[in-house]
Amino acid sequence: MSSNTYLHLLPLSVFFIFPATFLVTYSISVLLGHTEPDFPYISDTGTYSPESCIFGQAINMGACLVVLTVYVRYRQLSELYQTHSAQSNILRANRAAAIVGCLSAFGMSLSANFQETNVISVHLVGAVLAFGGSTLYIWLQAVCSYETHPVLNSMAMAHLRLSLGVVAAAFFTLGCVCAVIAHSLFDGTNARKWYPSNGGWTYHVVSTASEWICASTFAIFMLTLVPEFKTVSMDSPQIFIAIETLSPYNSGIYNSVESINGGSGSGSLPEESNSSPSGREVRQVIVGNDALRPVES
């Protein structure tokens, strides 16, 4: 099984896909007159068709990339410290970060696929999970970065991630508060076209700017993972299969397994097997390297 040495492309892809999606859908929504060019929410640029189709599909892809990145980061730290009992704090933080990161990715998909004009409650839950979860994930990774110094990262990188966490937390809180105030003061007819003459304009600008800053902060954080992911490699997974046969001499199932391995029964499956009173045999094999081989007991 060959090692994968291109895992650094995961956080790098996350860094590019989200800003690119936002810019594309923003341009389309403004050109089609679906939103105003002055300070729209990110989700406002993906509310109406056709930009909503691009927005939902791209964010779904980005959410999958985030989950993969979170998983690789989790495995990287767990493999590094699994034999160090003194590092129980970082292991707990690592597990918490994996859960929070996956919830954040789920929130991204929710907010992108449930537009505020259709199911506002689900959209808001997704937005809170996405921005709140990504903010907490940055904080947890900043804590881990101080523990992994100097093995994985420098102290400057730990300080940078902590700074990103502070910025994300500050603007997430500010954005939520100002969004509530702005919508309570809004006296227009379409929140996607918010004008200075409508109530709550100042709070609206602060809220939308905070949202864009939070999203940018998360993208920058993902970029900081690229150097560390270059040191990580993963092998293809092994798949275990339990195969039940009637008899190694007259079973069609057994013969089909032999054909997969090139027709050699003795080299494909172990001679020992668990036989039941009915004459059936249960064999376990591993699928790997494009072939089946027996599990050694």
Side-chain angles (χ1 to χ4, degrees):
M1 291 176 286
S2 60
S3 298
N4 184 353
T5 57
Y6 300 99
L7 293 175
H8 65 281
L9 296 178
L10 287 174
L12 189 63
S13 298
V14 174
F15 172 76
F16 282 110
I17 193 170
F18 286 116
T21 300
F22 299 155
L23 292 176
V24 169
T25 55
Y26 170 82
S27 301
I28 296 175
S29 62
V30 170
L31 289 174
L32 295 179
H34 294 164
T35 188
E36 291 300 311
D38 298 332
F39 304 104
Y41 286 104
I42 293 176
S43 57
D44 287 346
T45 67
T47 299
Y48 299 112
S49 181
E51 61 267 22
S52 62
C53 304
I54 301 173
F55 189 82
Q57 182 67 21
I59 296 301
N60 284 339
M61 294 171 59
C64 291
L65 291 172
V66 169
V67 170
L68 292 175
T69 302
V70 168
Y71 174 73
V72 173
R73 179 63 172 178
Y74 166 75
R75 289 298 305 272
Q76 180 188 31
L77 297 185
S78 62
E79 290 295 328
L80 185 64
Y81 288 99
Q82 65 178 347
T83 58
H84 297 73
S85 58
Q87 301 292 337
S88 57
N89 291 333
I90 189 174
L91 292 178
R92 284 194 294 267
N94 189 36
R95 286 192 293 268
I99 296 173
V100 171
C102 290
L103 287 175
S104 175
F106 178 65
M108 296 173 191
S109 181
L110 277 183
S111 60
N113 293 279
F114 292 84
Q115 291 82 16
E116 56 184 308
T117 55
N118 297 325
V119 191
I120 183 64
S121 58
V122 178
H123 178 81
L124 292 177
V125 170
V128 172
L129 282 175
F131 289 101
S134 61
T135 298
L136 183 56
Y137 183 75
I138 295 175
W139 270 94
L140 290 171
Q141 287 299 325
V143 172
C144 292
S145 297
Y146 281 101
E147 296 290 338
T148 57
H149 164 75
V151 178
L152 289 181
N153 55 267
S154 64
M155 186 59 70
M157 180 62 72
H159 292 333
L160 174 60
R161 289 171 181 164
L162 179 61
S163 301
L164 291 173
V166 172
V167 171
F171 282 100
F172 172 71
T173 304
L174 181 63
C176 290
V177 173
C178 290
V180 173
I181 298 175
H183 281 84
S184 65
L185 298 176
F186 180 67
D187 55 8
T189 58
N190 186 356
R192 262 63 59 196
K193 294 186 177 182
W194 204 311
Y195 300 103
S197 58
N198 300 133
W201 170 254
T202 301
Y203 292 103
H204 168 73
V205 171
V206 174
S207 177
T208 55
S210 298
E211 185 181 64
W212 285 87
I213 292 174
C214 278
S216 301
T217 301
F218 183 70
I220 295 172
F221 166 77
M222 282 292 170
L223 189 62
T224 67
L225 294 176
V226 172
E228 293 165 35
F229 272 43
K230 288 183 178 180
T231 64
V232 181
S233 63
M234 295 182 68
D235 290 331
S236 301
Q238 291 182 339
I239 302 175
F240 296 85
I241 304 175
I243 300 179
E244 183 177 356
T245 64
L246 293 175
S247 169
Y249 302 103
N250 58 11
S251 171
I253 299 178
Y254 180 78
N255 291 333
S256 66
V257 174
E258 287 184 336
S259 64
I260 294 176
N261 289 273
S264 175
S266 60
S268 303
L269 294 173
E271 295 182 359
E272 296 83 3
S273 61
N274 297 326
S275 300
S276 64
S278 62
R280 292 181 178 273
E281 298 179 346
V282 178
R283 302 170 182 268
Q284 190 180 48
V285 296
I286 302 176
V287 179
N289 290 337
D290 301 322
L292 295 174
R293 65 181 187 274
V295 176
E296 296 181 359
S297 57

